[in-house]
Amino acid sequence: MNKVKAYLEEVVKEMRKVSWPARRELISNTGITLLATLVISLFIFAVDRVISQVLEFIYR
């Protein structure tokens, strides 16, 4: 049990050292992440559709 307590104390110490982003920076980075995720998802969807069509043409 002492090891668990020591571990949690170390976690608390390290969390105090963390440099947390400002609210505006956090919102900005979240927006960028969501936009990048959407763009990459659409790209993968488009490539998948093209490959599916090509394979369908080949196997007919």
Side-chain angles (χ1 to χ4, degrees):
M1 191 66 174
N2 285 338
K3 288 184 180 183
V4 173
K5 183 179 177 185
Y7 172 75
L8 292 175
E9 288 173 352
E10 289 296 320
V11 168
V12 170
K13 282 183 194 177
E14 290 299 320
M15 291 302 286
R16 288 188 182 128
K17 295 178 186 178
V18 173
S19 174
W20 298 102
R23 181 177 178 86
R24 181 177 218 157
E25 183 181 2
L26 179 64
I27 291 170
S28 173
N29 289 343
T30 301
I32 291 168
T33 301
L34 291 174
L35 180 63
T37 301
L38 178 65
V39 169
I40 292 169
S41 298
L42 290 174
F43 174 75
I44 291 171
F45 175 75
V47 170
D48 181 57
R49 296 297 299 168
V50 169
I51 291 172
S52 295
Q53 292 295 321
V54 169
L55 290 174
E56 187 176 321
F57 177 76
I58 289 172
Y59 289 128
R60 276 192 174 179

